[in-house]
Amino acid sequence: MSDPSSALTPSMRDVLRRMERAARTPMYQLGAAGAKAAYEAGAGVLEIPAVPLARVEALQIPARDGYALPARLYAPVSRDDAVEEGLPVLLYLHGGGFTVGSVATHDQLCRQLAHLAGCMVVSLDYRLAPEFRFPVAHNDAWDALQWLAAHGEELGADASRIAIGGDSAGGTLSAYCAIEARDTGLPLALQLLIYPGTTAHQDTDSHRRYAQGFVLDEPAITWFFAQYLAHPEDREDWRFAPLLAPDVDGVAPAWIGLAECDPLVDEGVQYADKLRMAGVPVDLEIYKGVTHEFVKMGRVIAEARRAHADMAAALKSAFGLN
């Protein structure tokens, strides 16, 4: 078998070399609190500079149990300068294995999407494991989407043009929300899935091929899911593993962006196939020579900047902004 690292771009290989030289303790050895802090500290290191926007506001969105979920609104124009019908809006759900990550760790990415797509982005701080286990993050994401559909106009959003999106675990949550939206008659313009987790068990060829040394490794995946899943049978719940959903007929059109050198690439392709088999329009992009988390490395990885532009184009098309 060929060396899987031979497919890496020179820039991506350089990032991995620098990560190896830094010799930081893996997150799964730090404990949950230490992992959260480490991810927060390192999240912006390889990001593009934060784009200044006319409107950035803190929000609170009520969850079903009364908890106030923190969120952050991004818009490329002020409230006064927005079009009368309001801006279309993307609800963004950050990655981090349901255990790490926050609005802050994905600030630059959400700013970039609002800037490039000309839409509003609402980034959600759903509750994290291990303090909050499955299905709390799923419930928080769905509650926020329903709230946005009902109250978006109060924010200056066009509630008739809503998309859901996220990376990694946030992609899983987005795929779940798209199915719930279909089932409840909540229309979505797009589901934007960035290397989403979709399978119940990490047993695909890409999980074996990229198990070590490609940013997201097997021990980290196992640890993340141990934090979030309270019971072994939770893995078989389609909400956690959308590939197990009974059907995906009639869900929102999908843009799916995957990294070639990522344990999650095979299940992303499988989910794209599942959607296509159900007649759902799918735009699948596989970015060659890069790893998981690459979309947050735009300062040094050209494929990240291309992915930002591709995501923005998909949003503009879905929202009728072209």
Side-chain angles (χ1 to χ4, degrees), residues 109-123:
L109 178 59
C110 288
R111 286 174 179 269
Q112 187 74 345
L113 291 176
H115 168 67
L116 292 176
C119 69
M120 183 182 294
V121 176
V122 173
S123 180

Side-chain angles (χ1 to χ4, degrees), residues 9-29:
T9 68
S11 296
M12 191 76 247
R13 190 175 291 112
D14 185 58
V15 167
L16 295 184
R17 284 198 197 102
R18 282 191 275 167
M19 291 173 68
E20 187 176 6
R21 282 200 300 269
R24 293 190 177 89
T25 303
M27 280 196 285
Y28 59 86
Q29 294 179 3

Side-chain angles (χ1 to χ4, degrees), residues 186-275:
L186 192 164
L188 293 178
L190 186 71
Q191 50 180 320
L192 190 82
L193 310 180
I194 307 166
Y195 32 74
T198 65
T199 192
H201 299 279
Q202 287 62 58
D203 54 6
T204 65
D205 180 65
S206 62
H207 273 283
R208 291 184 287 271
R209 188 169 176 79
Y210 303 112
Q212 299 287 341
F214 294 85
V215 177
L216 180 67
D217 58 15
E218 187 280 327
I221 296 171
T222 297
W223 181 77
F224 281 138
F225 292 164
Q227 306 308 298
Y228 187 49
L229 299 175
H231 309 286
E233 59 268 24
D234 290 341
R235 281 184 173 272
E236 310 296 333
D237 191 308
W238 72 264
R239 294 172 293 176
F240 172 75
L243 271 171
L244 298 181
D247 75 88
V248 291
D249 299 35
V251 301
W255 182 92
I256 301 178
L258 307 176
E260 180 188 20
C261 304
D262 181 357
L264 274 57
V265 66
D266 285 355
E267 63 200 80
V269 171
Q270 289 170 12
Y271 197 63
D273 289 344
K274 181 182 179 79
L275 293 172

Side-chain angles (χ1 to χ4, degrees), residues 127-206:
R127 286 172 282 185
L128 297 175
E131 295 82 3
F132 299 96
R133 293 180 177 263
F134 177 82
V136 173
H138 286 70
N139 292 343
D140 286 351
W142 175 235
D143 291 350
L145 182 61
Q146 293 181 98
W147 182 89
L148 197 57
H151 298 276
E153 290 183 7
E154 299 165 20
L155 305 175
D158 178 356
S160 70
R161 291 184 291 171
I162 299 179
I164 186 92
D167 61 294
S168 198
T172 308
L173 296 173
S174 299
Y176 155 69
C177 284
I179 297 171
E180 287 282 14
R182 184 271 316 267
D183 291 346
T184 58
L186 192 164
L188 293 178
L190 186 71
Q191 50 180 320
L192 190 82
L193 310 180
I194 307 166
Y195 32 74
T198 65
T199 192
H201 299 279
Q202 287 62 58
D203 54 6
T204 65
D205 180 65
S206 62

